[in-house]
Amino acid sequence: MSGAEAFVPTPLLLSDSARKRIKALMAEESNPALKLRVYVTGGGCSGFQYGFDFADSVAEDDTLIEFGDATLVVDPLSYQYLVGSTVDYEEGLAGARFRVQNPNATTTCGCGASFMV
């Protein structure tokens, strides 16, 4: 019988399309320190909603999650709701946007911008 194996869950994942978009925005802004901030606030039709912002500075209690040449920034309150999620970027007829695929959400709205846990 083998011994127990340690499992460290991935806090957040970043899709290739999201990483490429962040990289493109860094180039457009001529700012290699630009990071994508992902956060959760109260509101939306399902109780919580996702928010995205770009930042080149971080707070002392923020969590940085690096994916090679792209970095996500998450504040401590939002982190607990986002563990295990994937940040994606999609372009379609309705426009282009970052979105979160959250396995912890028990309910989401039709557009995917708000959720409930």
Side-chain angles (χ1 to χ4, degrees), residues 22 34-39 51-59 61-64 71-76 78 82 87 98:
I22 293 168
L34 202 63
K35 299 163 183 50
L36 179 64
R37 180 177 291 280
V38 183
Y39 58 91
F52 301 94
D53 194 8
F54 282 95
D56 52 9
S57 62
V58 296
D61 59 349
D62 282 339
T63 298
L64 297 174
T71 302
L72 295 179
V73 180
V74 183
D75 66 85
S78 299
L82 295 170
V87 176
F98 285 99

Side-chain angles (χ1 to χ4, degrees), residues 23 42 84 108:
K23 220 175 133 178
T108 59

Side-chain angles (χ1 to χ4, degrees), residues 16-117:
D16 286 340
S17 61
R19 188 186 56 74
K20 287 176 187 174
R21 183 62 183 150
I22 293 168
K23 220 175 133 178
L25 290 167
M26 290 166 60
E28 286 176 26
E29 295 291 322
S30 299
N31 184 353
L34 202 63
K35 299 163 183 50
L36 179 64
R37 180 177 291 280
V38 183
Y39 58 91
V40 173
T41 60
C45 48
S46 294
F48 294 104
Q49 62 188 2
Y50 302 110
F52 301 94
D53 194 8
F54 282 95
D56 52 9
S57 62
V58 296
E60 186 176 301
D61 59 349
D62 282 339
T63 298
L64 297 174
I65 306 164
E66 296 181 357
F67 298 92
D69 47 7
T71 302
L72 295 179
V73 180
V74 183
D75 66 85
L77 181 61
S78 299
Y79 186 89
Q80 63 187 325
Y81 297 108
L82 295 170
V83 170
S85 297
T86 299
V87 176
D88 192 16
Y89 180 77
E90 62 184 12
E91 295 180 12
L93 295 175
R97 66 181 179 148
F98 285 99
R99 64 176 295 188
V100 176
Q101 297 169 352
N102 189 340
N104 305 308
T106 57
T107 305
T108 59
C109 67
C111 68
S114 65
F115 69 102
M116 181 180 293
V117 289

Side-chain angles (χ1 to χ4, degrees), residues 1-7:
M1 181 172 188
S2 65
E5 293 182 30
F7 173 73

